[in-house]
Amino acid sequence: MVGVVLVSHSAGLAAEAVALVRGIAGVGPPVAAAGGTDDGGLGTSLDLIEAAVRAVDQGDGVVIVPDLGSAVLTARLLEEAERIVVADVPFVEGAIAAAVAAGAGAPLADVLAAAEEARTVRKL
């Protein structure tokens, strides 16, 4: 199953986003948070993102969903073609779409595509 990692500048935001994703997508798909810095501050940590990727990687690939700025830049350091991809998507909507697709057993490319569709979903 494809894993999903949520990267935020805030550990609390990442953890709560994971809780929301699990509440909607269920506990089946592997989802992990990588938020904040190693010392608990605001920012991003390559070490925390790497640990989260390892935690959710079941051999079918990992989609990383970053919030903004340095989270995107740091996550892109881990990209590996056809194994670890960074999704350019709205944080919450993209994470939910990715996890739902992963939970349905979709392959990496389809999980990424599902997350990317979240960009086109209007709220009103």
Side-chain angles (χ1 to χ4, degrees):
M1 188 174 293
V2 173
V4 180
V5 172
L6 307 186
V7 180
S8 174
H9 284 72
S10 163
L13 177 58
E16 288 300 323
V18 166
L20 177 63
V21 167
R22 287 188 178 139
I24 294 171
V27 296
V31 181
T37 60
D38 295 328
D39 62 1
L42 289 177
T44 56
S45 163
L46 182 60
D47 291 338
L48 292 176
I49 299 169
E50 286 177 322
V53 167
R54 283 192 304 275
V56 301
D57 188 358
Q58 296 183 352
D60 295 318
V62 175
V63 174
I64 301 174
V65 180
D67 59 4
L68 63 132
S70 65
V72 176
L73 298 174
T74 306
R76 293 197 69 196
L77 295 173
L78 298 175
E79 284 185 304
E80 293 180 28
E82 299 181 31
R83 187 170 117 54
I84 301 172
V85 296
V86 176
D88 179 14
V89 300
F91 188 62
V92 173
E93 294 89 338
I96 291 168
V100 168
L108 180 62
D110 291 350
V111 172
L112 179 60
E116 289 173 340
E117 284 181 39
R119 275 187 273 172
T120 64
V121 176
R122 295 182 48 93
K123 295 181 183 182
L124 296 178

